[in-house]
Amino acid sequence: MRHLVCLSVLALLLSGCQLGYYSQAVSGHFALMKQREPVATVLADPDTSPQLAAQLTFSQQVIAWAGDNLALPAEEVYHQYVALDQDAVVWNVLAAPAWSLTPKTWCYPLLGCVSYRGYFERQQAEEVAASLAGEGMDTWVGGAIAYSTLGWFADPLTTPMLQRSRPALAELLIHELTHRRLYIANDTRFNESLAMLVGREGALAFLADQAIAVDNDALARRDRAEQAFLAIIEDTRSALKTLYNSGQSEAVMAADKALIQQQARERFTREQIEHPALAGYQGFFDGPLNNAQLNGVSDYNGYVPGFARLLEQCQRDWGCFWQQVDNLADLTDEQRRDALMGLSGN
């Protein structure tokens, strides 16, 4: 949830509070970049732990393979490393009105409008969220272990990225490379859903091609848990949408909203009996489950079924897939949405 272009020229285009925002973005990004070390240097350091060395080596294999086999721009990216003593690189603020699932958006030169605002300091993100909450908005702050500069800079690997399992790391790297290949201004759902699909399917293809042993049963359990999670979120959003369109008073809607959120938590607890891997989403359900938090899930997964269908129609040929994706990119926002929803059967 979590992508930010840090171009110093942007600061010259803005003033007031916008200038303050871009100042922290630019300074935070370049502070990170200043800490980079070439992966080769880290690997040659005798003090580098075997675990870190193994993850760095694996990351380079993924990057090279993705460039050769997925037509992703892998040159001069993720070949440097930044050691961080924290579990996130940026913190994103999401917001939405209390009685609407339409997300608040922030607009930027070159990027267009997106449904999140990233900060390199968690305290700043929390302060912005608190200010928006004071205006009556639902808010949520989520940490991101990676972000993409969409090809403007040589993005580095970071400690939080490398702390993932190998399948998850491969998926993350391919996800971020996808953003470098294609980004459509003002269409967060298209960008993130595309990266989710390519990251997932690309990682599975890489692991199979390299004959890297994986626990297929564990992956299947993870996928079933993910589908159960998404079903809970979609049903919760649907119930909230119906409530918000009911025309009832805010007092009644507040009570019913709290009930719907509690029902989502109870369903999550029940379904862990059938899908124990759902326990991995406990942190999410410990959150407010408000409009802002739920919107984040929808943005990242809304078009994934459509892109999956497109890949199947292309018989999993990536050249064909990218041609079809490029065709979608040439459509208007409405045409693109209709096409992808049609592919997913909705």
Side-chain angles (χ1 to χ4, degrees):
M1 248 169 203
R2 318 153 196 1
H3 309 290
L4 176 68
V5 170
C6 298
L7 299 172
S8 57
V9 68
L10 295 181
L12 303 176
L13 304 177
L14 302 160
S15 60
C17 63
Q18 283 288 84
L19 180 57
Y21 171 74
Y22 279 102
S23 294
Q24 71 82 30
V26 171
S27 61
H29 174 72
F30 282 109
L32 187 72
M33 298 288 278
K34 285 173 63 177
Q35 300 177 58
R36 295 175 300 171
E37 291 185 89
V39 167
T41 299
V42 180
L43 289 174
D45 187 341
D47 292 331
T48 297
S49 70
Q51 295 83 358
L52 175 58
Q55 288 294 81
L56 287 171
T57 300
F58 178 79
S59 73
Q60 302 308 286
Q61 294 169 349
V62 174
I63 294 298
W65 185 91
D68 292 339
N69 294 274
L70 301 180
L72 292 175
E75 303 82 5
E76 299 181 6
V77 62
Y78 299 126
H79 298 314
Q80 296 168 311
Y81 170 66
V82 176
L84 295 175
D85 185 22
Q86 58 193 48
D87 58 5
V89 180
V90 295
W91 286 265
N92 290 318
V93 177
L94 287 78
W99 316 118
S100 172
L101 289 167
T102 301
K104 174 179 173 58
T105 58
W106 289 267
C107 300
Y108 311 92
L110 305 181
L111 274 180
C113 299
V114 297
S115 58
Y116 51 82
R117 196 154 172 88
Y119 292 85
F120 281 90
E121 296 292 335
R122 181 169 191 161
Q123 182 178 348
Q124 286 184 292
E126 297 284 2
E127 289 172 354
V128 170
S131 177
L132 290 168
E135 298 173 9
M137 305 282 281
D138 279 3
T139 64
W140 188 67
V141 175
I145 63 174
Y147 68 91
S148 173
T149 58
L150 308 180
W152 290 98
F153 296 99
D155 300 329
L157 297 161
T158 64
T159 304
M161 296 171 69
L162 297 178
Q163 290 173 338
R164 299 167 69 88
S165 68
R166 286 194 167 186
L169 175 56
E171 186 170 334
L172 173 64
L173 291 170
I174 295 171
H175 178 116
E176 298 301 335
L177 289 175
T178 301
H179 287 307
R180 295 173 71 89
R181 189 190 194 284
L182 179 62
Y183 177 88
I184 298 178
N186 305 313
D187 201 337
T188 300
R189 181 167 296 190
F190 178 94
N191 297 325
E192 296 300 346
S193 295
L194 173 64
M196 288 290 286
L197 183 280
V198 177
R200 184 185 71 194
E201 297 299 328
L204 291 174
F206 165 77
L207 294 169
D209 185 68
Q210 299 297 300
I212 295 175
V214 296
D215 187 337
N216 289 320
D217 288 339
L219 289 177
R221 290 193 296 271
R222 182 202 69 172
D223 289 344
R224 289 194 294 270
E226 180 182 49
Q227 291 308 308
F229 166 73
L230 293 175
I232 296 172
I233 300 306
E234 184 58 32
D235 290 346
T236 302
R237 283 173 52 84
S238 179
L240 289 172
K241 183 177 181 179
T242 298
L243 172 64
Y244 300 153
N245 291 332
S246 68
Q248 299 185 83
S249 68
E250 290 190 2
V252 171
M253 286 198 295
D256 286 351
K257 180 178 181 178
L259 177 60
I260 291 170
Q261 291 165 330
Q262 182 58 30
Q263 289 172 337
R265 292 189 176 93
E266 292 172 355
R267 179 177 169 184
F268 165 70
T269 299
R270 289 195 309 272
E271 293 198 8
Q272 287 184 58
I273 298 173
E274 181 179 357
H275 304 292
L278 262 176
Y281 293 95
Q282 183 65 60
F284 184 91
F285 284 90
D286 287 341
L289 295 187
N290 62 23
N291 300 334
Q293 185 182 8
L294 296 172
N295 282 341
V297 177
S298 182
D299 279 344
Y300 271 70
N301 295 277
Y303 294 154
V304 168
F307 284 121
R309 178 61 180 155
L310 202 61
L311 184 59
E312 291 301 321
Q313 287 181 349
C314 284
Q315 299 181 325
R316 310 190 73 79
D317 178 85
W318 287 98
C320 168
F321 174 79
W322 283 118
Q323 180 59 61
Q324 295 305 312
V325 169
D326 290 339
N327 291 342
L328 288 172
D330 290 335
L331 301 177
T332 66
D333 292 349
E334 184 175 355
Q335 290 171 333
R336 198 159 48 242
R337 181 196 65 219
D338 290 345
L340 285 165
M341 296 306 288
L343 282 166
S344 65
N346 296 326

